[in-house]
Amino acid sequence: MSEGLSVAAYGPADVVARLKRRMIDHALPLWSTVGWDSAAGGFIDRLLPDGSADAAAPRRVFVQARQIYCYAKAAQMGWYPDGRAIALKGVEYLLAKAKAPDGRPGYVHRLTPVGGVLDPLRDSYDHAFVLFALATVYGLDRDAQIRAEIDALLSFLDAELRSPHGGVLEGLPPSMPRRQNPQMHLFEAMIACFDATHDLSFQNRAGEFFALFLANLYDKQTHVLGEYFEEDWSKILPVSVEPGHQAEWVWLLKGFERITGCPTGRQRGELLASALRYRDAATGCLIDEGDIEGNIRRHTRRLWPQTEIAKAWIAQAEAGEAGAADEARAALVRLERHYLSHPVAGGWYDQFDREGTSLVATIPASSFYHVLCAVAEAEQVLG
């Protein structure tokens, strides 16, 4: 389906209010009703093009965690009265089905639609999102059982997934190449854990990932964040650059600065400038992949990089950078116009080719976390 929509229909002045209404009126109700499996439990991984549940799709554990985050965050923001109950229902399912169902510690990677183990891999990226979800739920009413689950997950990370070279392994069993992505999301989870608990140990844990970023993930000469690495964090050439991740780190570095006081302004500015090299000429949207010289490798463009460039500009606006708030609103307008204007209210398009044709027929639940987080940040900073 093409995305031919009038630009005039989407103005920047009230885009934050429009997106908040879209979350409250459409997305949150949709993904807690059609998007919840009332028979087997758990969140549905994706909807079909007509907005009905794809009940046969396997359940990715990180998606369960992301949906828990969405409803806990919506409850925290005062957007959705049922958010807390839905988040807790999601946690109950996650702990019952995904946590150590085979008797070994950690969370499995994928479940069948009826809640059996489809893939027993212990994936670090998944665990980052489980930790992030638990932290967000804990922030609602500081439940001791949730804190115990956080501590158990941290013990598993420390005992089983730490790498002697820094950061965490890809998973159990370990695999190659190493990616920056799980490290980035564990950085995000540690910041969220500090926000929820005010436990200073999470500042230290976040600091370990910041140190890894400075020492290995980020190239200070080219101002580029790499994606794939050898076991010892040496670069794999040619370097793959995902502009969405460059932007995502801008927002995370601002969060780290907020909880520690450690200045990150120089790296944020460099990363943002690098991300902006990789834009689709017709729409201004970030593309999916480039190279270290600033050339575009893949002209496709997914939804999530658009939320991350909006969050990057929001972070810079919060830091007082001139013009950043206007850039953030413009990025949100692009998100709304190209990705969120789907025939299913509360749905979205996941990816387009360079001609603007939708490449993914289904509506993946995995994108909700990106969208809701961007809208929540926009409301808190831009108003």
Side-chain angles (χ1 to χ4, degrees):
M1 185 179 294
S2 177
E3 9 148 18
L5 292 158
S6 160
V7 185
Y10 305 100
D14 55 351
V15 65
V16 177
R18 286 199 308 273
L19 291 178
K20 177 183 171 182
R21 288 256 59 91
R22 196 183 280 269
M23 294 298 97
I24 292 170
D25 294 346
H26 302 300
L28 287 159
L30 175 70
W31 292 97
S32 61
T33 55
V34 179
W36 176 265
D37 188 334
S38 54
F43 291 102
I44 297 287
D45 205 87
R46 64 191 184 201
L47 305 182
L48 296 169
D50 65 356
S52 59
D54 185 353
R59 306 280 168 82
R60 293 173 292 175
V61 165
F62 83 86
V63 172
Q64 299 297 315
R66 284 184 177 189
Q67 298 298 76
I68 291 164
Y69 157 80
C70 286
Y71 286 96
K73 184 69 177 179
Q76 180 199 323
M77 297 289 291
W79 287 0
Y80 204 58
D82 296 337
R84 178 181 170 277
I86 294 160
L88 291 173
K89 189 166 64 166
V91 169
E92 189 180 341
Y93 175 84
L94 186 73
L95 296 175
K97 302 297 184 183
K99 184 191 175 191
D102 50 9
R104 291 181 293 126
Y107 292 77
V108 298
H109 184 44
R110 286 193 303 161
L111 301 169
T112 67
V114 294
V117 176
L118 187 61
D119 185 346
L121 170 71
R122 268 52 172 182
D123 181 77
S124 292
Y125 182 87
D126 295 346
H127 284 76
F129 278 104
V130 173
L131 184 58
F132 183 63
L134 291 171
T136 312
V137 171
Y138 182 75
L140 292 177
D141 39 28
R142 303 176 72 83
D143 182 271
Q145 188 184 346
I146 298 293
R147 180 60 201 258
E149 296 296 346
I150 289 172
D151 291 338
L153 198 159
L154 292 168
S155 296
F156 172 70
L157 289 175
D158 290 343
E160 305 288 345
L161 287 171
R162 269 188 186 270
S163 164
H165 300 286
V168 294
L169 304 170
E170 285 291 305
L172 286 180
S175 62
M176 292 294 292
R178 300 189 74 180
R179 298 172 300 155
Q180 74 79 27
N181 207 5
Q183 321 301 322
M184 177 182 75
H185 285 296
L186 279 164
F187 185 50
E188 176 182 35
M190 297 310 170
I191 295 169
C193 283
F194 177 78
D195 283 336
T197 65
H198 305 295
D199 180 335
L200 296 180
S201 69
F202 291 111
Q203 286 183 336
N204 297 331
R205 286 179 178 274
E208 291 177 14
F209 289 102
F210 180 60
L212 180 70
F213 166 81
L214 289 178
N216 299 107
L217 305 180
Y218 182 57
D219 187 320
K220 298 173 189 67
Q221 274 67 52
T222 61
H223 300 166
V224 155
L225 174 82
E227 290 293 329
Y228 302 106
F229 298 86
E230 302 288 2
E231 177 63 35
D232 64 356
W233 292 114
S234 54
K235 288 190 201 78
I236 291 178
L237 300 174
V239 171
S240 167
V241 180
E242 293 194 21
H245 286 150
Q246 305 259 133
E248 200 161 359
W249 271 98
V250 174
W251 176 70
L252 288 169
L253 290 172
K254 182 67 178 72
F256 181 69
E257 184 176 299
R258 173 176 54 75
I259 70 165
T260 62
C262 175
T264 61
R266 184 170 63 81
Q267 291 90 359
R268 294 201 317 271
E270 290 168 357
L271 280 165
L272 181 53
S274 287
L276 293 170
R277 298 188 297 174
Y278 307 93
R279 284 181 288 185
D280 174 59
T283 62
C285 293
L286 291 191
I287 54 81
D288 287 340
E289 187 187 10
D291 67 17
I292 203 165
E293 284 82 32
N295 303 305
I296 293 177
R297 261 195 193 167
R298 280 190 292 144
H299 284 267
T300 54
R301 44 190 171 84
R302 291 196 62 194
L303 180 157
W304 70 263
Q306 320 320 321
T307 64
E308 301 317 303
I309 195 66
K311 282 161 57 184
W313 281 119
I314 290 165
Q316 296 300 77
E318 192 173 17
E321 184 179 318
D326 288 341
E327 291 285 1
R329 288 190 181 93
L332 292 169
V333 168
R334 287 192 294 273
L335 172 71
E336 178 187 38
R337 178 188 171 209
H338 297 293
Y339 294 86
L340 302 185
S341 299
H342 192 282
V344 174
W348 35 74
Y349 296 103
D350 184 64
Q351 189 180 43
F352 293 107
D353 67 15
R354 66 192 301 178
E355 280 75 46
T357 301
S358 174
L359 295 176
V360 180
T362 58
I363 307 170
S366 55
S367 297
F368 195 11
Y369 143 82
H370 289 285
V371 177
L372 187 124
C373 185
V375 179
E377 288 295 303
E379 171 159 272
Q380 286 170 317
V381 176
L382 307 176

